[in-house]
Amino acid sequence: MPSSVMPTPRRHGDAQSPAAVSAVDLRKSYGDKTVLDGIDLRIPAGTVFALLGPNGAGKTTTVQILSTLVAADGGQAQVAGHDVATSPDGVRAAIGVTGQFAALDDLLTAEENLLLMADLLRLGKREGRARAKELLDTFGIADVAHQRAATFSGGMRRRLDLAMTLVGDPEVIFLDEPTTGLDPRSRRTMWDMVRALVAGGTTVFLTTQYLEEADQLADRIAVLDGGRIVAEGTADELKARIPGSHVRLRFTESADYERAAAAFPGAARDDDNLALRVAGDAGLDALRALLDRLDAAGIRAAGFSVHTPDLDDVFLALTGEGTASGATPPHLKETR
Ligand SMILES: Nc1ncnc2c1ncn2[C@@H]1O[C@H](COP(=O)(O)OP(=O)(O)OP(=O)(O)O)[C@@H](O)[C@H]1O
Ligand SMILES: [Mg+2]
């Protein structure tokens, strides 16, 4: 996408960057149903954060609270330096929100939708027109600029919806399931757009059901289940946490192989290939310890490979078997 439409570069995020979004002990109930049971978040500026969770876990509720559409019952949250409870206008001026369901005016054309947004943001006629044109070009919808949104396919609606979110050049954008219903090509286009935004320093908070999406885009991922964050980390950290991780050690000398098998009595043997499968944590520290142990015993391995489960395994393991089997776990039952 042309760089002209991208926001002026902001400071790129790392763990030490100021938080673009932070929350402490956020709580929300509807009636006697507890949706958020105390969640904490810290998202460095200029990074992508993905919130995962089964249907009804509270992802949209979290986005609504952080974007000031819904008040929390307890806890604090700051977005772009503004408190959501005491400075909602400050938050609103700094963010863009693309909801789970596109918020377009069907009776207006694509261009009119963008101009309306520019008007709402008081951009001024000329600037508004220029911005609308840039965004129409960037999102590949310039050729349908004068068609009514009602005639758009799902993918085109999503693009226009995201374009509307970007009219005001927000510091932080919330994308609630941005690619649900998109075909693989449109999904990749959307991912490229998100990457380009982040390269320009924007902070992105996204929710998704697609684990590959979190894997591809997110610097950090949190899994929400039963009202709590049940796991948080990089995709690799999450994968390394669940059973199924193992290191496969290969040997060329059968003497080495046998000595290693004796050193790791729990390992599964593959006698034909002189390979051992050592189950356990596939994180860096565990791997280093394993190699040190071989070294100390003077055993030469010909090679090793680390196997980690994918995010689907993580999701299913962390969010309860009810989700995997299609049955609704008690904590996800709707109260309405
Ligand atoms: N306005 C409301 N009134 C009553 N209950 C609500 C309201 N909004 C959300 N809920 C309930 O809160 C729970 C969490 O809903 P939420 O929309 O945040 O889930 P989600 O994680 O976004 O799910 P999905 O993946 O289906 O989009 C659900 O049980 C839902 O029925
Ligand atoms: Mg939702």
Side-chain angles (χ1 to χ4, degrees):
M1 108 163 64
S3 56
S4 62
V5 79
M6 286 297 125
T8 27
R10 302 179 176 107
R11 188 175 154 191
H12 206 72
D14 53 44
Q16 275 75 51
S17 300
V21 178
S22 62
V24 178
D25 199 28
L26 273 193
R27 296 176 176 277
K28 181 73 189 174
S29 301
Y30 284 111
D32 56 6
K33 185 195 162 65
T34 303
V35 179
L36 300 180
D37 194 13
I39 68 165
D40 297 339
L41 298 168
R42 188 186 183 283
I43 306 173
T47 65
V48 182
F49 174 81
L51 188 61
L52 300 179
N55 291 132
K59 302 180 296 296
T60 296
T61 303
T62 305
V63 169
Q64 287 171 332
I65 292 172
L66 295 174
S67 58
T68 77
L69 296 172
V70 161
D73 298 339
Q76 286 104 40
Q78 271 93 37
V79 176
H82 305 277
D83 189 282
V84 294
T86 59
S87 178
D89 290 342
V91 174
R92 283 179 208 147
I95 65 170
V97 186
T98 303
Q100 187 166 2
F101 305 101
L104 307 173
D105 189 329
D106 273 339
L107 297 177
L108 299 182
T109 67
E111 186 181 40
E112 287 165 348
N113 265 293
L114 290 167
L115 291 174
L116 175 66
M117 185 60 90
D119 258 3
L120 290 173
L121 294 168
R122 303 207 175 86
L123 279 194
K125 281 266 174 302
R126 264 181 76 190
E127 199 189 338
R129 285 200 178 282
R131 187 80 185 139
K133 186 179 178 317
E134 269 181 333
L135 288 164
L136 287 164
D137 288 340
T138 305
F139 285 80
I141 43 179
D143 51 335
V144 291
H146 302 296
Q147 283 180 28
R148 285 205 279 170
T151 67
F152 281 20
S153 74
M156 286 154 71
R157 297 176 69 83
R158 277 269 158 211
R159 289 186 199 196
L160 177 54
D161 206 22
L162 182 57
M164 306 244 308
T165 306
L166 300 181
V167 171
D169 187 13
E171 247 174 88
V172 180
I173 62 174
F174 293 92
L175 303 174
D176 196 359
E177 299 199 23
T179 63
T180 297
L182 295 191
D183 68 31
R185 187 184 304 274
S186 302
R187 176 166 302 149
R188 281 184 164 66
T189 306
M190 184 66 83
W191 291 352
D192 288 342
M193 289 169 181
V194 170
R195 289 191 186 106
L197 282 168
V198 174
T202 306
T203 307
V204 176
F205 182 118
L206 69 92
T207 76
T208 182
Q209 299 286 348
Y210 299 108
L211 300 162
E212 193 201 350
E213 182 157 292
D215 214 347
Q216 287 275 336
L217 288 181
D219 296 296
R220 294 190 79 76
I221 298 169
V223 183
L224 189 60
D225 191 38
R228 293 179 175 274
I229 291 186
V230 294
E232 213 255 326
T234 63
D236 287 341
E237 283 166 1
L238 293 183
K239 290 174 197 171
R241 269 187 53 162
I242 73 154
S245 302
H246 66 269
V247 177
R248 187 178 158 87
L249 295 169
R250 291 189 318 278
F251 301 89
T252 39
E253 304 296 330
S254 57
D256 284 327
Y257 173 61
E258 290 302 340
R259 286 171 60 214
F264 297 94
R269 297 172 62 113
D270 174 359
D271 291 344
D272 293 340
N273 296 303
L274 298 185
L276 285 180
R277 179 186 158 126
V278 185
D281 178 2
L284 207 57
D285 290 341
L287 184 61
R288 191 174 292 126
L290 188 149
L291 296 177
D292 283 349
R293 219 164 124 192
L294 280 177
D295 236 18
I299 304 169
R300 289 180 59 86
F304 70 90
S305 49
V306 177
H307 298 261
T308 49
D310 66 15
L311 267 187
D312 280 306
D313 301 324
V314 176
F315 188 82
L316 293 174
L318 290 174
T319 61
E321 63 209 351
T323 326
S325 66
T328 308
H331 62 266
L332 294 179
K333 290 223 167 85
E334 309 274 332
T335 48
R336 286 185 295 181

